[in-house]
Amino acid sequence: MRLETIKIENFRGLTHVDIPFSRFGCLIGENNAGKSSVFQALNMFLKSGTAVDTDFLDRSRSIRIQLSFSEVSEADLKRLEDGHRTRIEREIRDGRITLAKVYKGPGRGPSWSSRGFPRSQVHEGRNRRHIEVWATSRSNRRQCEGHVPRSCP
């Protein structure tokens, strides 16, 4: 499995960051460019961390972190627990999967996959899907029910 892109919005000092990765990734930048914020966002996503007030660059907007993976293999799936594997396998298309977390306010953000978004909010790109808008608030719960089990706020 290979991390293909990271997209981060409204996290700490990052307004909007879209980082494509090659086989070798290196993050270089001046002091205060946001390098540490990229790694902190990745850490928060992967460890199911919670957002705090100071994580929001603009408190009127949600934080969103999106990871796109390619080359997802059967060996990668075998590392998952049975319940997770069954759920994730359905989301993989052509060895690719896009996962996202949205933090509307402090606390944990709901997890989504590319299939977890209503069709009107998924736009086809070259050879992969790009997520443009996410239903994130509790008022949108009915809108996202049935798309990905246990992913709604």
Side-chain angles (χ1 to χ4, degrees):
M1 177 169 45
R2 187 174 78 80
L3 180 59
E4 196 170 68
T5 61
I6 297 177
K7 294 183 182 187
I8 304 166
E9 288 194 10
N10 197 42
F11 183 75
R12 300 194 178 179
L14 306 176
T15 304
H16 177 82
V17 175
D18 187 357
I19 304 171
F21 287 97
S22 63
R23 296 242 174 244
F24 172 78
C26 184
L27 198 57
I28 299 172
E30 295 180 20
N31 291 343
N32 283 335
K35 301 177 302 290
S36 295
S37 293
V38 169
F39 288 111
Q40 290 164 344
L42 183 60
N43 187 50
M44 186 166 78
F45 183 98
L46 294 173
K47 292 192 173 196
S48 296
T50 58
V52 296
D53 280 334
T54 55
D55 289 333
F56 292 82
L57 178 62
D58 177 352
R59 293 186 184 172
S60 67
R61 295 180 42 230
S62 299
I63 292 171
R64 64 185 204 182
I65 304 167
Q66 174 182 311
L67 306 179
S68 296
F69 296 92
S70 63
E71 302 174 23
V72 180
S73 69
E74 193 63 37
D76 296 319
L77 293 172
K78 286 182 179 179
R79 293 186 193 117
L80 299 172
E81 294 177 10
D82 291 338
H84 294 301
R85 183 176 336 131
T86 303
R87 192 178 66 208
I88 294 292
E89 279 177 322
R90 292 182 285 199
E91 306 299 324
I92 297 170
R93 295 284 185 268
D94 299 321
R96 297 177 182 271
I97 187 167
T98 297
L99 303 172
K101 286 192 179 180
V102 177
Y103 301 83
K104 187 76 172 174
R108 290 192 177 193
S111 299
W112 302 83
S113 73
S114 58
R115 288 184 53 203
F117 296 86
R119 185 71 190 148
S120 63
Q121 296 176 356
V122 177
H123 303 280
E124 295 296 330
R126 284 183 295 188
N127 301 323
R128 66 176 174 224
R129 293 179 174 190
H130 298 278
I131 310 309
E132 299 296 335
V133 181
W134 297 329
T136 60
S137 69
R138 292 189 185 278
S139 63
N140 290 334
R141 183 179 183 130
R142 279 188 221 98
Q143 184 180 10
C144 66
E145 283 177 349
H147 293 282
V148 176
R150 292 181 291 285
S151 65
C152 296

